Amino acid sequence: MRPVPAGRTESRGFVAAESAVTLGSEPEAEVDPSDVDEDVLARAFGAHGTWRLVGRLPTGHLFHRNTEAPYAIREFHVSPSHLRRRVGQALLQNWGVGVINTKGYKGNNAWSIGQDNCCVAKLASGWEVFGIFDGHGPLGHWPAERAARTVPFFLQRGSAAQHLAEGRPEEALKVALDSAEADLEARAPGCKVNINTCGATAVVALRRADLDSVYIATLGDSRAMLFSTTSPDDFHEAEMSAGRGGSTAGTDGFDKAAGKAAKTGSRKGNTSKAKAAAKAAAAAAAAA
């Protein structure tokens, strides 16, 4: 994903609702992460200019199981549901954000469903969410897609939203990832998914256009990279971080670089087996 321009103060609305965003809106009520049904998720975005994009999974039909062609590029599921699909790309273009959700080639399982997913979301509080989820295991596409939908959902509700409102994005990320974990464990049996044999890593970034920092949490062995396009040869994350006064975050802690570039890290793990509160690592990084 390409970073949003640092000078942008607010998205210009392709839909009327977006221009009506109210920064600092009251957080929505806490929700039990083990009891988030499809109807609740479907209605979670739309008020106060909020919206969310998630990679759309392929669907099968009565006589064929779901498949996905090698190198297929997915469309996006846009919330609120009344928005047309093409509006999603218009929103991203207006933000200055590039996103693509594409499948690779999986050898003998070339037509199996790709296991990676992503999300981009605008929260009522003005925070912007960017997430990448790398699924693994026999049904790895399910936890990746589910987490892409639920992490932004939990970030704008209850204690996570309160943490954001009070300037504690690190704590908000911990709560949201921990809640997404609980949701996966609760929903999996009803979706006929053995969550003990599949899971997903996560990289989730939080940004507000009026702040000079980006907060990044990593779960599992996925990472975020800060880089510059001004020089094709200058593509070394650690060197750029050190050059801007940043430092490397610890495995189980936060490195707050006060607007400087920083690198995050976490132990390798399975989302379905390790609690995000102990696994997530977050850092402040300069907006490119």
Side-chain angles (χ1 to χ4, degrees):
M1 288 191 292
R2 185 161 53 88
V4 293
R8 178 173 57 75
T9 57
E10 185 175 313
S11 305
R12 296 179 296 277
F14 276 86
V15 291
E18 190 182 2
S19 62
V21 62
T22 303
L23 300 184
S25 300
E26 286 296 318
E28 297 186 50
E30 194 81 64
V31 62
D32 183 353
S34 66
D35 190 28
V36 180
D37 60 28
E38 292 297 328
D39 185 58
V40 171
L41 278 180
R43 294 184 288 104
F45 291 86
H48 305 295
T50 62
W51 52 268
R52 180 194 60 201
L53 276 71
V54 176
R56 185 184 294 273
L57 290 178
T59 56
H61 53 81
L62 183 60
F63 299 106
H64 293 83
R65 65 183 179 88
N66 295 356
T67 60
E68 191 169 23
Y71 311 116
I73 297 176
R74 290 178 181 169
E75 295 182 341
F76 290 105
H77 177 83
V78 185
S79 298
S81 59
H82 69 267
L83 297 181
R84 297 180 180 179
R85 295 180 187 179
R86 62 181 177 83
V87 173
Q89 287 295 347
L91 286 169
L92 293 174
Q93 184 177 3
N94 191 52
W95 264 22
V97 175
V99 182
I100 186 171
N101 186 192
T102 182
K103 178 190 168 185
Y105 182 75
K106 304 185 73 172
N108 293 334
N109 295 320
W111 284 85
S112 61
I113 299 177
Q115 296 184 323
D116 301 338
N117 216 307
C118 62
C119 66
V120 180
K122 175 71 172 290
L123 307 184
S125 58
W127 286 92
E128 303 161 359
V129 185
F130 307 89
I132 299 292
F133 304 88
D134 181 4
H136 49 267
L139 296 175
H141 61 279
W142 183 83
E145 191 265 353
R146 181 76 184 181
R149 297 169 63 199
T150 59
V151 168
F153 169 79
F154 288 119
L155 280 169
Q156 71 172 11
R157 302 188 74 97
S159 58
Q162 193 64 42
H163 285 312
L164 289 178
E166 297 174 359
R168 297 188 299 273
E170 303 100 326
E171 295 303 318
L173 286 165
K174 283 184 177 182
V175 171
L177 288 170
D178 206 23
S179 296
E181 165 79 11
D183 171 79
L184 288 177
E185 294 177 351
R187 295 289 298 181
C191 295
K192 298 181 179 180
V193 173
N194 184 352
I195 201 64
N196 293 312
T197 62
C198 64
T201 69
V203 175
V204 183
L206 283 174
R207 179 186 186 273
R208 269 186 63 148
D210 59 340
L211 301 178
D212 62 357
S213 297
V214 173
Y215 296 84
I216 302 169
T218 64
L219 178 61
D221 58 5
S222 292
R223 295 291 183 272
M225 177 174 284
L226 175 68
F227 66 93
S228 171
T229 58
T230 57
S231 172
D233 298 325
D234 188 14
F235 198 74
H236 300 287
E237 181 189 13
E239 292 182 8
M240 290 188 67
S241 296
R244 293 190 180 187
S247 59
T248 301
T251 298
D252 292 312
F254 294 98
D255 179 54
K256 201 162 185 179
K260 305 302 177 83
K263 180 180 178 183
T264 64
S266 69
R267 290 192 299 263
K268 185 175 181 180
N270 187 319
T271 305
S272 66
K273 301 302 291 182
K275 289 297 180 182
K279 288 283 192 176

